[in-house]
Amino acid sequence: MKKIITVQNLLSKGESSTLKHLQRRLFLRQSLTLGALSLLSGCQITEQKDVDQILHAMSAWNDRVQGWLFDPRKLAPEYPESAITHPFPFNAFYDEDEVPVIDEADYRLELAGLIQDKKPWALPELYALPQVSQITRHVCVEGWSAIGKWSGTPFGAFLKRVGADTSAKFVGFKCDDDYYTSIDMATALHPQTLLTFRYADQILPAKYGFPMKLRVPTKLGFKNPKHIRAIFVTNEYPGGYWEDQGYNWFSGS
Amino acid sequence: MAGMQMTENRAQWLSVHPLVVRMTHWINALTVLVMVTSGWRIYNASPLFDFTFPAAITLGGWLGGALLWHFAAMWLLVTNGVTYLLYGLLSGHLRRKLWPIKPDAVLADILDALRGRLSHQDLSLYNAAQRAVYAVLILAMISLVISGLAVWKPVQLQELASGLGGYEGARRIHFAAMALTVALVVVHVSMVLLVPRTLGAMITGRIRRDS
């Protein structure tokens, strides 16, 4: 179980995604240089590192501010069925034909980290948990938004059921498409944060994250992991696929 | 004789812009440049309209880089803007410089400007067209900040967002306020190019009175 969260495991999982990742990082670094240079002509190349550092320090500051702004009782607006966006956009760091195919019978949700009962969960067991629905707005970091209907089990109740240490700082996710991300515990316990198994009253289709997607209407879309394989609770900052490349970690709405 | 010359010189210099105004002006100019160029890059990730901004005039290199700039510079924009507005309100600077704004005077000045007849004898006084442009620019930037907050926090600040037509409404207001700000900055910079003495005045705070 522990293997899930090791760096080696992460690296071995997909060479192509790691390569993309490194390219992005390099690109980000270069772009920040160019930005700084175009603004302050005559600026030294070595100052690029300082600019980079300041921007990331500001992003860390914004994480803290958003943590303070986050009201655990404030609910995201819910909408009528008539407001649902058709078709709901597919969005990932790969094309739609690369969506992972997951075998329902073999699937087990793995639990790791600061959780007492780490017994893996089969899909029928998860489907048997209490289910609720929500129609909320998904806001993408790119700027677009879309309204959809998701159904599943309240994530906070699930965490308590498996004996997760809810005083820990982070909940991390590892996904079958090599995606990974993490959220703060306060958001994980928010009443509208759902571990969802259905979209528009149908079993979650592959393109929307079969077999499950964490729906977090108080955060941007990329903080809503799909195809979740493992969930872990930790006090060590787990980062994320996009977060490690420069997207703001908290990214609250 | 030499002494008289000096006294005369001193009398010819007129103080027009207080230090606070000059400092907040230049910090604001740099910050708006960062906010607008990074904002264009963010816009390009999911364009609202049928066009994108040329990558060469955007900041950040990619969406993630642009967002880092945008959400870092916003603190400077707001801190600096609040400093300017507090100073302007408490010292009476805003009232003295920008008030009153009479529509017919604004129109007359704009027509004069287009004919190249607008007088710039006394730079310590803003003409009616200037007063209107600066006042609308201040309002446009306040709208930018308010709509920006709604776009950033459509859940935590949902009361604010719903007053602006929700997330999607706030996003469009944010774009419109940007467009207005950029248009007014273009007018402002064009006028400075036509009357270059004003540039020195915003740096040193003083102008030599023509007479």
Side-chain angles (χ1 to χ4, degrees), chain B residues 184-201:
Chain B
L184 293 174
V185 167
V186 167
V187 169
H188 175 58
V189 173
S190 309
M191 297 313 285
V192 171
L193 292 175
L194 287 173
V195 191
R197 285 184 300 137
T198 55
L199 180 64

Side-chain angles (χ1 to χ4, degrees), chain A residues 10-70:
Chain A
L10 204 157
L11 284 174
S12 65
K13 262 202 166 173
E15 275 185 66
S16 67
S17 97
T18 309
L19 191 64
K20 260 188 222 163
H21 185 114
L22 289 172
Q23 284 170 335
R24 260 297 158 75
R25 284 203 127 178
L26 197 63
F27 186 49
L28 169 66
R29 211 166 285 163
Q30 285 167 343
S31 62
L32 293 179
T33 318
L34 287 174
L37 284 176
S38 66
L39 262 176
L40 315 159
S41 51
C43 153
Q44 297 295 306
I45 298 290
T46 49
E47 286 174 20
Q48 158 234 312
K49 241 184 162 176
D50 301 339
V51 172
D52 208 9
Q53 257 175 12
I54 290 167
L55 290 177
H56 283 95
M58 286 305 292
S59 194
W61 160 250
N62 282 329
D63 284 339
R64 288 172 65 183
V65 171
Q66 292 176 94
W68 298 330
L69 271 176
F70 178 78

